[in-house]
Amino acid sequence: MNRRSKEETKILEHLIYLPLLLAVLERDYQQAKTTPFKLNQVYINLIENTMKKIQADLKGFKEKMYKNKMKLVKGNTDKSFTEYHYYVANDHEVHRYSNAALKANTEKLLCYYLFKENAG
């Protein structure tokens, strides 16, 4: 049974997806530094600025997590699923996420940061 509020769920899910997104961008950043694009610095700057925004958001969600006495622990991972343990107040829940869903949601979040956050 889901005993968490929508806000608690939002915090916990961002604490799953934002680190995944940072890992993807870090890999892309390393690749962009060594790939001979014609305007290489533009791509590097885009990735750096996106990573800074994500890091700031992640910090905010971590502060909310501590304030609300919450904890997230990554559990077992196999080829198809990744397990996360949610601790909220005195409750403990285990959630299994499909790795395909984690990838798809991370991609959606990347689109948000690249196209909405960096627009304007």
Side-chain angles (χ1 to χ4, degrees):
M1 181 174 158
N2 185 353
R3 295 177 282 241
R4 294 176 322 281
S5 70
K6 287 183 182 181
E7 180 64 21
E8 290 169 337
T9 300
K10 178 182 173 182
I11 292 167
L12 291 165
E13 288 186 348
H14 276 84
L15 291 169
I16 292 170
Y17 289 111
L18 292 178
L20 291 174
L21 188 50
L22 283 173
V24 168
L25 287 170
E26 180 60 37
R27 247 179 289 142
D28 290 352
Y29 178 74
Q30 294 304 322
Q31 189 71 31
K33 288 189 340 186
T34 60
T35 302
F37 293 114
K38 285 198 182 247
L39 301 171
N40 211 25
Q41 196 59 44
V42 173
Y43 296 108
I44 291 171
N45 290 344
L46 176 64
I47 294 170
E48 286 174 343
N49 290 333
T50 302
M51 288 175 68
K52 286 177 186 174
K53 174 63 176 152
I54 294 167
Q55 289 165 341
D57 288 352
L58 181 59
K59 181 181 177 189
F61 281 108
K62 284 183 178 182
E63 288 170 358
K64 289 179 184 179
M65 179 187 67
Y66 294 124
K67 179 182 172 193
N68 293 318
K69 297 179 178 142
M70 301 163 64
K71 185 176 178 183
L72 177 73
V73 177
K74 186 175 180 181
N76 296 327
T77 299
D78 61 30
K79 289 183 180 182
S80 302
F81 292 93
T82 300
E83 185 177 272
Y84 288 92
H85 296 262
Y86 293 2
Y87 298 91
V88 180
N90 291 324
D91 292 326
H92 171 237
E93 296 178 16
V94 178
H95 293 266
R96 289 174 46 104
Y97 290 84
S98 148
N99 290 338
L102 288 171
K103 181 180 178 182
N105 287 330
T106 301
E107 188 174 327
K108 284 181 192 174
L109 199 54
L110 178 60
C111 288
Y112 168 79
Y113 277 100
L114 288 176
F115 301 118
K116 291 189 173 94
E117 283 294 318
N118 286 316

